[in-house]
Amino acid sequence: MAELPPGIRLFTLFTRDQWYRALTFVLTFMLYASFHLSRKPISIVKGELHKHCNTPQVIEHNTYKEYAIQIQPVKKIANESRCGWEPFDKSNYKQLLGALDYSFLCAYAVGMYLSGIIGERLPIRYYLTGGMFASGLFTAMFGFGYFYNIHSLWFYIVAQMANGLVQTTGWPSVVTCIGNWFGKGRRGLIMGLWNSHTSVGNILGSLIAGYWVSTSWGLSFVVPGVIIALMGIVCFLFLIEHPRDANCTSSSSSDPEKHCLLPDNEKCNKSLNHNNGGCEETENRKSAISFSGALRIPGVVEFSLCLLFAKLVSYTFLFWLPLYITNVEHIDAKRAGDLSTLFDVGGIFGGILAGIISDRLKKRATTCGMMLLIAAPTLYLFSAISKMGFEATIVMLLISGALVNGPYALITTAVSADLGTHKSLKGNAKALSTVTAIIDGTGSVGAALGPLLAGLLSPSGWNNVFYMLMIADACALLFLLRLIRNELRCSLDRTLFKEH
């Protein structure tokens, strides 16, 4: 009998359940990467919406004729002013650009609290698909302002608010799916790898938006809008919400080593005799958890408040970093957008590192606390060293990205999934979406405040923005102190117990 081809042998190495888990991992990764891909263009286009230009009075020429000859070759379209795109070509452009960020993130924060509750009561595949179609529409809508010569500030604010609202369908949905398919054994590592979709989406969004930003910035929004809508079709065709929908073995009731890509130490209640059908029947009878019930889960309030400040820092970088690089390094919007992707590259490694450390130590809060403690002085160094040259900026972008995004990634993924499947819920899987929405919704309040404060503080100097970010990191650490103390106390108690 002929030997099986290597490719076929690869397929036989894994079980059917493992292939489905791999599909869920890759698919949810791609889906949420497209969400972040569609959010990034606004930060890249800011440098084009307002250009740093000199007024004619400060340009000296021997004669007016000489000045006229100089500007003659520059052909301007009717919808573009010499200092950018109206109304962002005024001296208060930072406040106006901050208003765009604030409108998106406020709508996102408010919508997130509702999204988790709604998501638990609707089929996730339909809910997520609809959200991705709507996100594509409103992302492209912002770009239509370029092609239809629209200069109303309210048009762009409404587009941002609508987009922020519908984008809340993404996070609770994908975290619920990944939480249903994967257990707790190495959740920090798996979630750290999976959460790199945030940075991958930001990088792709920067590169795509940067390709058109200097020639036709409307396409910087339209193309990402089309991409997320197309991914909505992929979601509708392939997303499987729960293992039972594909007759797969649940990670919480199976042999963790044989049936799971992510081992799970929790098993079905022995009273059910490991009967998968019994588990499903019990789970189906459970009702969705209330908002107040989710808040009573130990750790939800502390991690939510911590994420508020951690996300404030992360989203300030997300929305303002390219403009900061443009001002400090004096480079164009495209090069600044490309350079800003290094912050997200650092974020990928930071999320994975946070997951590995937290799995090894079995201390989520302590891991976040350590990274936050190091992040605050690192941000001060970033503000000082980045002004010393291009190479210094590159190094500090990588380090800062790792330390800023590490705690943010750990809390929004592994910690949310842990709390959403907390033992106090007695196996109620329907709580995961609500817990995720509460944690990320509270974080989104900080995400809304950060860019707004950056817009208000940056006219007085970028150093003030960095001071604000350092204070936010300190506050995030402050809210974790009680949980860190409890983790260390439990660790000490276990050590003493083993000695006796």
Side-chain angles (χ1 to χ4, degrees):
M1 187 171 65
E3 185 181 4
L4 285 175
I8 301 300
R9 288 206 306 271
L10 176 64
F11 280 101
T12 60
L13 288 176
F14 301 98
T15 66
R16 177 176 177 271
D17 288 4
Q18 287 174 323
W19 280 114
Y20 271 110
R21 285 188 170 84
L23 171 65
T24 302
F25 183 94
V26 173
L27 181 58
T28 51
F29 182 99
M30 294 171 60
L31 294 178
Y32 207 70
S34 68
F35 273 94
H36 264 266
L37 181 151
S38 66
R39 295 177 196 173
K40 189 64 178 178
I42 184 64
S43 66
I44 305 300
V45 174
K46 280 178 180 177
E48 190 69 18
L49 293 178
H50 181 89
K51 300 175 181 177
H52 290 282
C53 55
N54 297 318
T55 60
Q57 288 79 1
V58 300
I59 301 176
E60 296 182 2
H61 299 280
N62 294 331
T63 64
Y64 178 80
K65 182 178 180 180
E66 181 181 333
Y67 174 70
I69 292 173
Q70 178 177 332
I71 66 172
Q72 184 67 28
V74 183
K75 182 180 179 181
K76 293 180 178 152
I77 55 177
N79 58 10
E80 186 178 18
S81 77
R82 191 169 45 78
C83 292
W85 187 269
E86 188 182 350
F88 306 104
D89 56 347
K90 307 296 189 299
S91 59
N92 65 335
Y93 72 98
K94 289 183 179 179
Q95 287 82 358
L96 298 180
L97 294 175
L100 293 182
D101 299 338
Y102 190 65
S103 57
F104 174 91
L105 293 166
C106 274
Y108 187 86
V110 173
M112 185 59 74
Y113 288 110
L114 301 174
S115 181
I117 297 172
I118 297 172
E120 285 183 357
R121 291 158 175 81
L122 294 175
I124 286 180
R125 182 165 62 95
Y126 298 141
Y127 184 57
L128 185 56
T129 299
M132 296 184 81
F133 283 151
S135 296
L137 172 64
F138 292 118
T139 299
M141 178 179 168
F142 196 104
F144 293 157
Y146 174 84
F147 297 106
Y148 290 98
N149 195 20
I150 298 174
H151 297 280
S152 169
L153 177 65
W154 281 107
F155 171 83
Y156 298 104
I157 287 180
V158 169
Q160 286 287 85
M161 290 179 65
N163 198 17
L165 196 61
V166 297
Q167 287 231 349
T168 60
T169 59
W171 189 243
S173 300
V174 295
V175 172
T176 298
C177 282
I178 206 76
N180 288 340
W181 279 93
F182 294 93
K184 291 184 178 180
R186 288 196 298 269
R187 181 173 275 168
L189 171 60
I190 295 296
M191 289 291 198
L193 290 167
W194 179 74
N195 193 67
S196 63
H197 55 54
T198 299
S199 297
V200 170
N202 289 340
I203 292 170
L204 292 176
S206 297
L207 296 177
I208 292 171
Y211 185 81
W212 282 288
V213 65
S214 299
T215 55
S216 178
W217 64 258
L219 289 175
S220 296
F221 291 92
V222 173
V223 173
V226 171
I227 291 174
I228 191 173
L230 291 175
M231 289 304 300
I233 298 175
V234 174
C235 171
F236 180 80
L237 294 176
F238 295 102
L239 184 66
I240 305 172
E241 176 180 344
H242 198 281
R244 65 169 177 266
D245 298 333
N247 295 320
C248 287
T249 306
S250 172
S251 64
S252 62
S253 61
S254 58
D255 184 340
E257 295 302 326
K258 292 184 179 179
H259 298 285
C260 301
L261 288 177
L262 174 66
D264 188 2
N265 296 326
E266 294 188 354
K267 306 230 176 131
C268 282
N269 194 297
K270 290 183 179 179
S271 63
L272 296 174
N273 296 320
H274 302 281
N275 185 308
N276 196 44
C279 290
E280 293 173 10
E281 184 179 346
T282 301
E283 184 177 309
N284 288 333
R285 287 199 301 265
K286 291 183 179 294
S287 59
I289 192 171
S290 66
F291 188 88
S292 59
L295 286 176
R296 287 195 293 270
I297 298 172
V300 167
V301 172
E302 289 91 340
F303 276 114
S304 296
L305 293 173
C306 173
L307 185 62
L308 187 151
F309 291 99
K311 205 167 180 179
L312 182 154
V313 178
S314 181
Y315 268 65
T316 300
F317 275 98
L318 174 67
F319 283 92
W320 285 92
L321 181 58
L323 185 62
Y324 170 76
I325 294 173
T326 299
N327 291 349
V328 172
E329 298 292 340
H330 305 293
I331 57 179
D332 60 34
K334 183 183 185 306
R335 289 187 63 199
D338 293 343
L339 186 61
S340 70
T341 60
L342 292 175
F343 182 84
D344 294 298
V345 172
I348 294 175
F349 291 104
I352 295 172
L353 181 63
I356 293 173
I357 294 174
S358 68
D359 281 345
R360 183 67 61 87
L361 298 179
K362 301 188 184 302
K363 296 178 177 62
R364 308 287 197 210
T366 304
T367 302
C368 292
M370 289 190 300
M371 299 188 81
L372 289 168
L373 186 62
I374 301 172
T378 302
L379 291 176
Y380 177 78
L381 291 176
F382 181 90
S383 66
I385 295 176
S386 61
K387 299 174 184 177
M388 297 180 181
F390 202 71
E391 294 77 9
T393 300
I394 291 175
V395 174
M396 293 310 301
L397 280 172
L398 292 169
I399 297 174
S400 300
L403 293 173
V404 167
N405 286 337
Y408 164 42
L410 187 63
I411 294 173
T412 53
T413 54
V415 170
S416 295
D418 288 348
L419 295 175
T421 54
H422 193 270
K423 61 184 179 180
S424 64
L425 297 172
K426 300 178 181 179
N428 185 359
K430 290 187 176 182
L432 182 54
S433 183
T434 296
V435 170
T436 301
I438 289 174
I439 293 177
D440 199 51
T442 305
S444 298
V445 174
L449 290 174
L452 175 67
L453 291 174
L456 296 175
L457 294 173
S458 56
S460 61
W462 286 106
N463 281 341
N464 293 328
V465 176
F466 280 97
Y467 293 145
M468 178 266 291
L469 297 179
M470 286 185 280
I471 293 172
D473 265 337
C475 292
L477 175 60
L478 184 65
F479 282 109
L480 285 184
L481 289 179
R482 189 180 73 85
L483 296 179
I484 293 173
R485 184 193 63 183
N486 291 343
E487 287 183 348
L488 295 177
R489 180 182 295 173
C490 289
S491 179
L492 180 61
D493 290 344
R494 282 196 298 267
T495 302
L496 294 175
F497 179 78
K498 288 179 181 179
E499 290 178 353
H500 289 290

